Amino acid sequence: MASEDITKLVESLANTKVGGGQLSFKGQSLKLNTAEDAEEVIKQIEEFDALEALRLEGNTVGVEAAKVIAKALEKKSELKRCHWSDMFTGRLRSEIPPALISLGDALITAGAQLVELDLSDNAFGPDGVRGFETLLKSPACYTLQELKLNNCGMGIGGGKILAAALKECHRKSSAQGKPLALKIFVAGRNRLENDGATALAEAFGIIGTLEEVHMPQNGINHPGITALAQAFAINPLLKVINLNDNTFTEKGAVAMAETLKALRQIEVINFGDCLVRSKGAVAIADAVKEGLHKLKELNLSFCEIKRDAALTVAEAIEDKAELEKLDLNGNCLGEEGCEQLQEILEGFNMAAVLGSLSDDEGEEEEDEEEEEEDETEEEEEEEEQQQLKERGQGEQESLTPKKDSTPVQSPPVDVATFLAFPSPEKLLRLGPKCSVLIAQQTDTADVEKVVTTLLRISSVFKDEGPVKTAVHETTDALMRKAFTSATFNSDAFITSLLIHMGLLKSEEKIKAVPSLYGILMTLNHMIQQDYFPKSLAPVLSAFVTKPNRALDSCSFARHMLLQTLHQL
C-alpha cells in the first residue's frame, strides 16, 4: 500500500466511532483488499475490550482482508451485533461467499452469541447465502433476534437455502432447551417469488416468535402470500407486516385478512401497491373492524380499490384510537369519493390520519373494467397453478414406477403458443431447437415484433438451471439475426425497448411490462455478446441509471446490468 493511501486510511480511522461496546467504521469508504490494507482496522478491533457491536457498512472488504479481520474477531466472544450491510461495494459476486465464510467461522470460533445480523445491500445472490449458511446453523445464531437481508438478490434458490438454515437453527437450538426466538426478519427486494416465500413461510411457522416481517418487492403472488398468511397466524406477537409491492389479488388478500383476525398485537400493515383490489380491501376492512385495536398505520395505497370499498375501509377504523396514518392514495375513488372519505373520517374526528389523495386514479365509469381484469387475473392464476401441477406431476412421475411402459408425453408446444402465454416450461418443451425456431419465425425487419418477442422470452428468465440457458440461447439467436440484418434499425429498437420497459415516455399508450427483472438480467447477458452494438450501451446506461420505481424493485438485476455496462 502506498504511503499516501496509508495516510488517508489513518485519517479515516480517526473518525472511527467508539462507544457503548460499539466499534464503527460506518461510511468511511475504506477499500480493504489485502491484509496490509486492513492492519489499522484489525488493530482497532484487537484493542477494543468487550466488543459488542461492529459496524462495517459503507466500506468494501476483499477476501484477503476478510480473512485477517476474521482472525481478529476469533477472540471477541462478547460480539452480539454485526452491522455488515453494503460492505462489498464493487466486489465480484465470487469474492463475497469466501469473505462471509471467513467472518462467519470466526464468530463460531469465538463462541459469540449474536442478537443481530445485518447483511443488507450486499448483492451476493444465492451463492452468498451459502456463505453464511453455516453461521446461521451454528450456536452463534441460536440467540439471534434480528436478521436483515434487504436487497441482496437472493432469488428463489437463496430463499430456500435461508429457510432451511433457519429451520436447522431452530431444531438445534431447541434440542439445547433454548429455541431460536427470531423477532425481526427483513428481506425486501430479493426476488423470492412464490417458491422462496413459501419456503420461508414454513420456517416462520416453526419459529413462531416473529414481531416484524418486512418482505416488500419480492414478486410474490397469491400462493406465496397465502403461505405467509398461514405462517403469520402462528406468530401471535406480530406487530409489523410489510409486504409492499407484491401481488395479493383477492385470494391473497382474503387469506391475509383471515390471519389478521387472529393477531392482536398488529401496529403496522403495509400492503401498498399489492393489488388487493376492492374485494380484498373489504376483507381487510372486516378484519380491522373486528379487532386490531393497537393499529397505528394502514397502507392500502395503489391497490386498485374502488370508492365503495375504500369507504368501507374508512368506516372500519372508527374505534382505532391508536391509528396515526391511513394511506389510500393512488386508488380509484374519484373526486366525489375522496370527499366522502374525508367526511367519514371527519365524523370520527380522525381526518388528520388520512394521507394525501393527490394520486387518485379517478372513479371508473363501468364496473365491467374491473370484472374483465378479474377474469384475466383468474385465467393467469389458473395457468400458473396448472404449470405448478405439471411440474409436480413430472417430478412425481420420475420417482414412481410405471405400470405401463409407455412414456407419458406432455402436450406439444409451438412457438406461437409460447409467445402468446410464455412460461419456463413451455420454452423448455419447445426442445433443443427452440432458439432457432423462434428466430426463424420472427420478422426482424419489424422492430416492434423483435422487441415484443425479446420481452416474452426474457419474462420467463430464472437464475437457475436449464431455463437460464434456454433464455440466453434463444435471445442470442434472435438478436444476432436482428442486429446483423441490414434492414434492422438499432436506434429504433433501443427506443422501443425502453418504452416497453416503462423507462421512456411515448405518445402512444403502451403498457409497460409488469416486471423488469427478466429483461434486465437478459440485457446483462446480451450486452456482453459480440453482436450487440456497443454504441447502444451509453443510451441503455443513461436510462437504467435514472431514478425509477420499477427499477428500484429489481435493484439486484439493475446493479448487475450497470456493473457490466461500466466494464464495457
Side-chain angles (χ1 to χ4, degrees):
M1 180 184 269
S3 59
E4 58 268 23
D5 291 333
I6 295 175
T7 302
K8 184 178 178 181
L9 177 60
V10 172
E11 288 174 354
S12 294
L13 291 171
N15 297 320
T16 299
K17 295 179 181 179
V18 178
Q22 174 177 284
L23 177 61
S24 176
F25 301 95
K26 182 178 179 180
Q28 294 185 19
S29 300
L30 302 176
K31 295 180 180 179
L32 308 178
N33 298 317
T34 65
E36 185 182 3
D37 294 340
E39 282 179 357
E40 291 293 332
V41 174
I42 294 165
K43 182 181 178 184
Q44 294 269 2
I45 293 172
E46 289 176 341
E47 293 178 354
F48 197 107
D49 293 328
L51 178 64
E52 294 185 7
L54 178 62
R55 308 196 75 106
L56 291 172
E57 311 105 305
N59 298 292
T60 178
V61 181
V63 176
E64 189 179 339
K67 285 181 180 179
V68 292
I69 291 173
K71 195 69 178 174
L73 291 175
E74 287 180 358
K75 298 178 182 178
K76 300 300 175 180
S77 61
E78 295 177 321
L79 187 61
K80 292 179 173 63
R81 298 184 182 274
C82 297
H83 302 278
W84 295 350
S85 63
D86 189 24
M87 62 178 245
F88 297 110
T89 304
R91 298 289 169 186
L92 297 174
R93 278 178 65 178
S94 59
E95 293 181 83
I96 302 176
L100 288 173
I101 289 170
S102 296
L103 294 167
D105 288 349
L107 298 177
I108 297 170
T109 301
Q113 293 185 316
L114 295 185
V115 172
E116 179 179 2
L117 177 61
D118 186 354
L119 292 170
S120 300
D121 300 316
N122 291 310
F124 46 58
D127 292 341
V129 184
R130 293 284 189 199
F132 61 93
E133 178 186 15
T134 301
L135 172 63
L136 277 182
K137 295 178 180 178
S138 76
C141 285
Y142 290 177
T143 50
L144 196 64
Q145 295 180 15
E146 301 179 30
L147 179 58
K148 300 174 181 178
L149 299 165
N150 202 54
N151 191 29
C152 292
M154 291 190 290
I156 294 171
K160 289 181 176 180
I161 297 167
L162 176 61
L166 287 172
K167 288 191 289 185
E168 182 71 1
C169 180
H170 186 272
R171 185 187 68 79
K172 288 182 175 180
S173 58
S174 297
Q176 293 194 5
K178 294 182 179 180
L180 171 68
L182 192 66
K183 294 181 179 180
I184 298 174
F185 180 83
V186 182
R189 299 183 180 181
N190 271 293
R191 296 302 307 175
L192 294 169
E193 300 183 17
N194 289 332
D195 290 350
T198 301
L200 285 166
E202 186 178 339
F204 296 162
I206 292 170
I207 293 168
T209 55
L210 289 166
E211 295 181 11
E212 295 185 21
V213 175
H214 303 263
M215 296 174 64
Q217 298 181 356
N218 268 298
I220 308 170
N221 299 324
H222 77 82
I225 295 298
T226 300
L228 288 171
Q230 292 168 348
F232 293 165
I234 44 181
N235 280 265
L237 301 177
L238 266 173
K239 296 178 181 178
V240 178
I241 302 177
N242 176 7
L243 294 174
N244 189 285
D245 201 5
N246 289 291
T247 307
F248 281 43
T249 66
E250 181 188 342
K251 289 183 179 180
V254 169
M256 195 60 71
E258 285 301 309
T259 285
L260 290 174
K261 292 177 182 178
L263 300 174
R264 293 288 176 265
Q265 306 301 320
I266 288 291
E267 296 178 3
V268 177
I269 298 172
N270 186 345
F271 298 159
D273 207 7
C274 283
L275 203 65
V276 303
R277 291 195 171 140
S278 295
K279 292 179 181 178
V282 170
I284 292 169
D286 288 343
V288 171
K289 190 172 185 177
E290 286 186 22
L292 306 187
H293 295 293
K294 296 184 179 181
L295 188 64
K296 294 181 179 179
E297 181 178 336
L298 175 59
N299 184 347
L300 294 175
S301 60
F302 299 94
C303 281
E304 293 191 7
I305 301 170
K306 299 180 76 175
R307 180 181 62 180
D308 290 347
L311 298 182
T312 301
V313 172
E315 290 166 353
I317 67 168
E318 179 179 1
D319 62 345
K320 309 307 169 195
E322 302 294 321
L323 194 71
E324 298 172 359
K325 184 179 181 181
L326 172 64
D327 193 346
L328 288 168
N329 198 18
N331 286 300
C332 310
L333 281 66
E335 186 176 345
E336 184 179 343
C338 290
E339 291 175 358
Q340 290 176 325
L341 182 64
Q342 290 166 337
E343 287 173 5
I344 289 173
L345 294 175
E346 285 171 1
F348 301 155
N349 197 26
M350 297 178 70
V353 307
L354 183 62
S356 170
L357 297 173
S358 60
D359 293 320
D360 186 74
E361 295 289 339
E363 189 172 12
E364 294 179 0
E365 294 181 3
E366 298 180 8
D367 291 340
E368 292 177 4
E369 291 185 24
E370 183 172 337
E371 289 174 6
E372 288 175 2
E373 289 172 349
D374 287 340
E375 289 172 7
T376 302
E377 171 190 315
E378 291 298 325
E379 289 172 3
E380 290 173 351
E381 290 171 356
E382 286 173 10
E383 183 180 353
E384 176 186 349
Q385 291 302 312
Q386 182 61 30
Q387 290 168 6
L388 291 171
K389 185 177 178 182
E390 288 173 3
R391 191 185 311 166
Q393 287 175 343
E395 292 171 356
Q396 188 176 11
E397 287 164 1
S398 67
L399 297 172
T400 306
K402 299 289 192 302
K403 292 181 180 179
D404 187 350
S405 60
T406 304
V408 178
Q409 295 183 350
S410 299
V413 173
D414 57 20
V415 171
T417 302
F418 167 72
L419 292 177
F421 302 101
S423 72
E425 290 76 15
K426 289 192 182 88
L427 181 62
L428 294 178
R429 278 161 53 194
L430 280 172
K433 293 184 178 181
C434 63
S435 59
V436 176
L437 291 171
I438 291 176
Q440 284 178 345
Q441 296 184 36
T442 303
D443 180 8
T444 52
D446 188 334
V447 168
E448 280 299 309
K449 282 188 178 178
V450 173
V451 169
T452 302
T453 303
L454 174 63
L455 289 170
R456 292 296 175 92
I457 295 167
S458 64
S459 70
V460 306
F461 178 88
K462 286 183 177 292
D463 289 306
E464 306 161 356
V467 175
K468 179 179 180 180
T469 301
V471 169
H472 285 173
E473 289 178 350
T474 308
T475 298
D476 288 342
L478 172 68
M479 298 315 302
R480 188 180 299 278
K481 177 185 175 185
F483 283 126
T484 55
S485 170
T487 58
F488 189 69
N489 189 327
S490 298
D491 292 334
F493 164 78
I494 199 69
T495 299
S496 177
L497 180 61
L498 291 169
I499 290 171
H500 282 275
M501 291 173 68
L503 306 182
L504 183 62
K505 290 184 178 180
S506 171
E507 293 180 1
E508 300 177 15
K509 286 189 176 181
I510 295 177
K511 189 175 180 180
V513 292
S515 172
L516 294 180
Y517 183 77
I519 185 60
L520 290 173
M521 294 300 285
T522 303
L523 283 169
N524 185 51
H525 168 80
M526 271 178 57
I527 63 176
Q528 299 178 64
Q529 309 311 309
D530 57 4
Y531 60 74
F532 185 80
K534 297 300 183 272
S535 60
L536 299 182
V539 179
L540 189 58
S541 180
F543 281 91
V544 176
T545 305
K546 286 183 178 180
N548 182 281
R549 188 177 179 184
L551 286 171
D552 289 342
S553 66
C554 304
S555 52
F556 171 72
R558 179 192 207 175
H559 170 79
M560 294 294 293
L561 177 57
L562 286 174
Q563 191 174 48
T564 304
L565 283 166
H566 291 159
Q567 291 171 356
L568 291 178

